[in-house]
Amino acid sequence: MTQPDPAMSAPVRHRRIEAIDLARGVALIAMAIYHFTWDLEFFRYVEAGTTTVGGWKLFARSIASSFLFLVGVSLFLAHARGVRWRGFGIRMAMVAGAALAISIATYVAMPDTFIFFGILHQIALASLLGLAFLRLPWAVVLVLAAGVIAAPAWLTSSAFDPAWWWWTGLSETRPRSNDFVPLFPWFGAVLAGMAAAMVAERSGLFDRLSRLTAPAWTAPLGFLGRHSLAFYLIHQPALIGCVFLFSQLVPPQVETPQVQFRQACERTCSAERDEEFCSFYCVCVLDALEGENLLDGLFSGRQNESERQTVAALAAICTDETERRPATGGNQ
């Protein structure tokens, strides 16, 4: 008779692994840095669009990926040998309740860009779905993780454009939200964390890590890692409150809406196009928006669906005109 694999039959009974708390604490600090920069941009101390392109965009995605990867690791450590339903239910209620509170608060404050499926919504759903993958071989989970991450490249469809499907991340039109972390591709990071934890358990890495004692100077990071949900809920209101108070004492130097739009447009455009293209393109879009009296609505964030479609159509026209411009100019 085949003997059971000791690594898979023995209960996982590690003492708390401080390295995981430290990793979570580092991710929280990184998140606070990003949010502080976002707050500075919101209050116009930093140029519009700074946090949505280039290195800052990559920084934000890295933070979200690390959080969700650690969710997968923690899910395996807590429930690999049987779901501890009471603890799982308490944690799920806390995360889902916090996600709902954030949706309500941001809807009141910013109804046009409120957070309807952010990082906490993803963590709640991913934690529930992840239970179904706990007993699969690590290689299968890793392949599934890769599939989930790649899914938007080949499953995106207009069939998912209705608002009730936005949480999937497969709609052709990206919804407006200050924090959007849909199921695809982000659930893939959770599955990757689970697969990594399975390998770490088999190799004895968790046992070795559990015997390590972190240096005393890392205690603050460990504390944050053990109270990650509380820190997540508290830090942004505290940061944005501080920036608001500072703005009352030292108001930012505000450029005209036209200058702000061109700066944001050129910064976003430069991620994919050259400087000359972006300069002509952004002037074209700005002129078109002013001609249709849409610039104020764009800045306020209060646009209906018809206005958003008009803006998209104007942008497409300007893209076409700008792409044809060098050839036209060369023939003159």
Side-chain angles (χ1 to χ4, degrees):
M1 185 174 68
T2 304
Q3 295 297 317
D5 184 348
M8 298 305 292
S9 59
V12 180
R13 297 185 182 276
H14 304 297
R15 68 184 178 92
R16 192 172 188 98
I17 299 175
E18 294 184 27
I20 294 178
D21 289 332
L22 293 178
R24 197 178 291 116
V26 170
L28 287 167
I29 295 298
M31 178 183 64
I33 292 171
Y34 177 81
H35 283 166
F36 180 65
T37 307
W38 189 94
D39 295 341
L40 292 176
E41 180 183 331
F42 181 77
F43 282 94
R44 299 179 181 177
Y45 288 102
V46 174
E47 291 183 0
T50 296
T51 59
T52 60
V53 297
W56 282 105
K57 182 178 182 179
L58 179 61
F59 186 45
R61 290 185 174 181
S62 299
I63 295 167
S65 298
S66 65
F67 265 112
L68 294 171
F69 183 90
L70 290 170
V71 167
V73 171
S74 298
L75 190 68
F76 175 83
L77 285 173
H79 306 293
R81 299 302 179 271
V83 180
R84 297 154 47 204
W85 288 110
R86 184 175 182 276
F88 179 84
I90 292 173
R91 181 68 177 173
M92 175 63 70
M94 292 172 61
V95 174
L100 178 61
I102 286 176
S103 291
I104 293 172
T106 55
Y107 183 79
V108 172
M110 297 168 285
D112 293 304
T113 56
F114 82 103
I115 299 173
F116 62 90
F117 205 87
I119 188 77
L120 290 185
H121 303 73
Q122 171 65 246
I123 289 174
L125 179 59
S127 297
L128 185 61
L129 295 178
L131 297 179
F133 300 85
L134 285 171
R135 306 306 298 272
L136 295 179
W138 69 267
V140 173
V141 177
L142 188 60
V143 169
L144 290 172
V148 171
I149 292 170
W154 46 276
L155 286 181
T156 297
S157 167
S158 59
F160 296 99
D161 281 351
W164 52 83
W165 287 114
W166 284 349
W167 60 273
T168 65
L170 299 177
S171 59
E172 290 186 348
T173 302
R174 181 178 175 85
R176 290 167 55 84
S177 177
N178 284 322
D179 183 28
F180 184 48
V181 189
L183 183 66
F184 297 95
W186 293 101
F187 182 49
V190 177
L191 291 176
M194 292 174 62
M198 293 171 183
V199 174
E201 178 63 25
R202 284 181 171 273
S203 66
L205 178 60
F206 284 143
D207 282 329
R208 294 192 293 275
L209 289 176
S210 68
R211 291 192 289 270
L212 296 178
T213 301
W217 63 268
T218 64
L221 288 176
F223 178 83
L224 292 181
R226 291 190 297 273
H227 302 87
S228 56
L229 182 58
F231 180 85
Y232 182 88
L233 294 174
I234 293 170
H235 85 283
Q236 179 63 329
L239 288 174
I240 204 167
C242 289
V243 178
F244 170 77
L245 291 176
F246 181 78
S247 71
Q248 304 307 299
L249 299 174
V250 186
Q253 296 181 349
V254 180
E255 300 283 2
T256 64
Q258 290 80 2
V259 171
Q260 291 181 58
F261 175 83
R262 281 197 60 183
Q263 290 175 341
C265 176
E266 290 179 4
R267 185 176 296 105
T268 303
C269 173
S270 63
E272 299 180 1
R273 299 281 193 156
D274 59 54
E275 181 179 349
E276 183 179 6
F277 176 93
C278 293
S279 178
F280 286 115
Y281 167 78
C282 291
V283 169
C284 175
V285 175
L286 177 59
D287 290 343
L289 291 174
E290 290 189 305
E292 297 289 336
N293 295 317
L294 292 173
L295 188 61
D296 290 340
L298 184 66
F299 267 84
S300 67
R302 289 180 169 81
Q303 293 178 302
N304 56 39
E305 185 59 30
S306 175
E307 290 172 334
R308 281 193 284 270
Q309 291 178 0
T310 300
V311 171
L314 293 174
I317 292 171
C318 285
T319 297
D320 183 60
E321 290 183 358
T322 306
E323 288 177 339
R324 290 189 290 108
R325 184 183 185 282
T328 302
N331 292 332
Q332 291 179 342

